[in-house]
Amino acid sequence: MVFWEGYVSDEVMGTFAPIVIYWLYAGLFQLLPPLDNYRLHTRKEEDVKNSVPLSSVVKGVLLQQLVQAVVAHLLFLVTSETGLVETEVQPPLLVQIIQIIIAMFVMDTWQYFVHRYMHVNKFLYRHIHSQHHKLVVPYAIGALYNHPLEGLLLDTVGGAISFLISGMTARTAVIFFCFAVVKTVDDHCGLWLPAFFPNLGQTSGDPHAV
């Protein structure tokens, strides 16, 4: 039993909840006071060093999320076992936890090697991955600011592969994808805070860092 049951389907939640969580969570970071003692870079550095205005970052993130929503909808459409009335049977909680752990491992492995290759390959770095590093000083809203092709390969395809390999249902996917979004925002928030995630906010913006 989940709070959205009877209101929207698991597939709809899996498609749109990560987007909503992204903007709420990233927006929260954006509204925080300066917190200079915990900031890896000052707000002044953010304004001076970043070559992309916030409006362009927002448009880039929205474009990536549009692609993600389309792919997620198609993925759920193909894999869903529910009919117009029936509700998909959910596996035991332990199984769902194992599926999420598997999905996390697959997602991290995929993103690590794709990301690393985009640094190693000079053509891909110059024409694709360098767009992400235009935000020399990272901030939460820019977590998903990438070249569209990178967004597709790194995040969208990575998420789809994780979902398929783990064998999770759409309901479990809601939890996994929302968790992934929170971690992504944390990784790019530019703050060093007491955290659940060990690499919270540690993205330095170094174009040579992997």
Side-chain angles (χ1 to χ4, degrees):
M1 182 72 178
V2 289
F3 69 87
W4 63 82
E5 191 169 355
Y7 298 97
V8 295
S9 68
D10 296 337
E11 290 78 11
V12 170
M13 282 295 291
T15 300
F16 294 106
I19 297 175
V20 174
I21 292 295
Y22 182 91
W23 290 106
L24 289 176
Y25 193 49
L28 177 63
F29 277 107
Q30 199 72 14
L31 294 174
L32 287 174
L35 297 175
D36 288 336
N37 292 335
Y38 299 99
R39 192 171 291 278
L40 298 177
H41 301 271
T42 65
R43 285 286 176 86
K44 184 177 180 180
E45 286 181 296
E46 182 178 310
D47 295 333
V48 172
K49 293 183 178 181
N50 289 343
S51 59
V52 184
L54 179 61
S55 59
S56 297
V57 171
V58 170
K59 290 176 184 177
V61 172
L62 288 173
L63 174 61
Q64 178 166 331
Q65 289 176 329
L66 174 62
V67 174
Q68 287 180 342
V70 171
V71 171
H73 176 72
L74 293 175
L75 191 65
F76 289 138
L77 192 65
V78 171
T79 60
S80 176
E81 297 180 1
T82 61
L84 294 177
V85 180
E86 298 174 350
T87 301
E88 186 172 8
V89 176
Q90 303 299 317
L93 179 59
L94 179 59
V95 174
Q96 294 182 60
I97 292 173
I98 293 173
Q99 289 173 333
I100 289 174
I101 292 173
I102 292 172
M104 288 170 60
F105 175 79
V106 173
M107 185 77 155
D108 280 353
T109 302
W110 173 268
Q111 290 193 330
Y112 173 81
F113 284 106
V114 173
H115 184 193
R116 186 175 186 85
Y117 185 67
M118 286 191 175
H119 275 269
V120 172
N121 187 298
K122 294 182 179 179
F123 178 86
L124 291 179
Y125 180 84
R126 180 178 301 170
H127 296 284
I128 296 177
H129 187 57
S130 61
Q131 179 169 325
H132 181 68
H133 287 291
K134 287 181 179 179
L135 296 181
V136 177
V137 179
Y139 54 85
I141 287 179
L144 288 181
Y145 178 69
N146 300 305
H147 187 284
L149 182 58
E150 178 178 355
L152 178 64
L153 290 176
L154 196 67
D155 298 310
T156 307
V157 172
I161 292 174
S162 303
F163 172 78
L164 293 171
I165 290 180
S166 66
M168 63 176 59
T169 64
R171 182 167 298 184
T172 306
V174 175
I175 299 169
F176 169 67
F177 288 131
C178 287
F179 179 86
V181 161
V182 168
K183 186 178 185 303
T184 298
V185 172
D186 279 343
D187 288 346
H188 293 81
C189 70
L191 295 172
W192 184 279
L193 297 171
F196 178 76
F197 305 118
N199 59 341
L200 176 62
Q202 293 179 24
T203 302
S204 67
D206 178 2
H208 301 292
V210 177

